[in-house]
Amino acid sequence: MTEDQNYREAAGSFGAVAAEYDRARPGYPEELVDALERLWGRGLKGARVLDVGAGTGIATRLLAARGADVVAVEPSPGMAAQFLASAPTLPLVRGGGDDLPFHDHSADLITYAQAFHWTYPERSVPEAVRVLRPGGAIAVWWNVHDDTVPWIRARDRRMAAALPARYSGYGGISSFTGHFEPAGLTVGRAVLHWERRVTVDHVLTDLTSRSYLASLTPEERAPVLAAEREAMLTEFPDGVVVEPFALDLTVAVTPS
Ligand SMILES: C[S@@+](CC[C@H](N)C(=O)[O-])C[C@H]1O[C@@H](n2cnc3c(N)ncnc32)[C@H](O)[C@@H]1O
């Protein structure tokens, strides 16, 4: 399989683990929306927002709660079904970031919560610019495990050793966000540090929903998860984990 085929397979892997995803993935702190509004220079209230790669709606629900008029956009049937179960009152359109099913100049803000890396930026950036109104913005963010913390670094090493063809870690975002300035957008960035307190089982369910494990068969995945359970219980004998994140946000604003 080529690298691109591997990548596309991973992009389509979420549907089979949608319930685990919705249950165990970390959400986003309220400060994310504050930082987004500050970098954009506008408030979310009443703004027409497209949440692309909405998945099960974790970010969509946060945006709606802060007053956005938000439409979810999601290509995966499994993730879309979980979205409709978790957020039955919010609208969802089936589609992807490289070919947005929306009219020109019909949105104020387009968000990609942990989803922009699944698009091809040479297609998704011009698509977003086409759909945005003047002064509109693209917001992309990733909830990255904070690898300044030793147990996170140790887990990264274990995953890289167990899944050399699939696990690349968090390789930096510039290969994606580097497409914004050449397209004439004004770019701002903020990194927010936060943590959650969860059980080892919760962390393992979250891991199951990560593309590098979700794209394996259950038989291939089981020994990796068993080794991970053992390592985590050695590190956290009481079964409770404080999991640190660095939330990396980039906002790119179109000319007014
Ligand atoms: C890591 S999940 C993020 C889900 C959600 N935004 C969140 O914050 O939890 C990535 C999502 O991107 C979707 N996706 C895959 N390829 C995509 C594409 N080309 N355009 C938009 N979304 C895509 C996947 O189906 C999946 O639901």
Side-chain angles (χ1 to χ4, degrees):
M1 214 187 260
T2 66
E3 206 173 301
D4 192 55
Q5 283 168 328
N6 251 337
Y7 200 63
R8 288 297 111 198
E9 189 193 42
S13 67
F14 293 102
V17 292
E20 289 84 352
Y21 190 110
D22 201 41
R23 194 162 71 243
R25 281 292 184 112
Y28 305 109
E30 289 284 333
E31 292 75 32
L32 167 71
V33 179
D34 300 335
L36 192 166
E37 291 183 332
R38 181 170 44 77
L39 291 170
W40 183 19
R42 272 187 65 178
L44 271 187
K45 204 166 173 42
R48 179 61 154 173
V49 181
L50 309 179
D51 184 31
V52 178
T56 65
I58 295 174
T60 322
R61 294 193 289 269
L62 175 65
L63 297 165
R66 292 286 293 256
D69 171 17
V70 61
V71 176
V73 183
E74 172 55 45
S76 153
M79 292 297 256
Q82 183 65 50
F83 181 102
L84 294 173
S86 303
T89 59
L90 293 176
L92 177 134
V93 170
R94 291 285 305 288
D98 298 320
D99 187 14
L100 291 171
F102 296 92
H103 294 300
D104 295 2
H105 311 306
S106 56
D108 299 307
L109 175 69
I110 307 184
T111 55
Y112 308 74
Q114 320 223 135
F116 193 61
H117 58 295
W118 296 122
T119 74
Y120 291 100
E122 57 280 9
R123 301 217 294 259
S124 58
V125 173
E127 261 304 80
V129 169
R130 175 184 69 75
V131 169
L132 284 169
R133 297 182 180 128
I138 297 171
V140 301
W141 64 84
W142 289 271
N143 232 345
V144 184
H145 284 109
D146 187 346
D147 66 5
T148 61
V149 175
W151 76 265
I152 298 281
R153 272 206 306 280
R155 186 173 71 184
D156 275 351
R157 285 195 294 273
R158 286 195 298 276
M159 285 296 155
L163 306 166
R166 293 182 188 264
Y167 185 75
S168 52
Y170 178 62
I173 59 167
S174 56
S175 56
F176 298 99
T177 56
H179 288 255
F180 295 146
E181 269 178 3
L185 310 183
T186 304
V187 178
R189 185 174 175 193
V191 179
L192 311 171
H193 291 269
W194 71 286
E195 58 188 32
R196 67 174 178 171
R197 197 179 165 81
V198 288
T199 62
V200 165
D201 278 337
H202 197 97
V203 172
L204 291 170
T205 305
D206 177 353
L207 273 181
T208 307
S209 80
R210 303 275 161 178
S211 61
Y212 43 88
L213 284 169
S215 53
L216 300 179
T217 63
E219 295 71 31
E220 291 168 326
R221 199 186 302 148
V224 183
L225 287 173
E228 203 47 43
R229 174 183 296 280
E230 198 180 325
M232 290 209 69
L233 285 172
T234 304
E235 181 79 29
F236 302 101
D238 65 355
V240 177
V241 183
V242 176
E243 204 178 14
F245 295 94
L247 179 48
D248 196 342
L249 165 71
T250 298
V251 177
V253 184
T254 64
S256 297

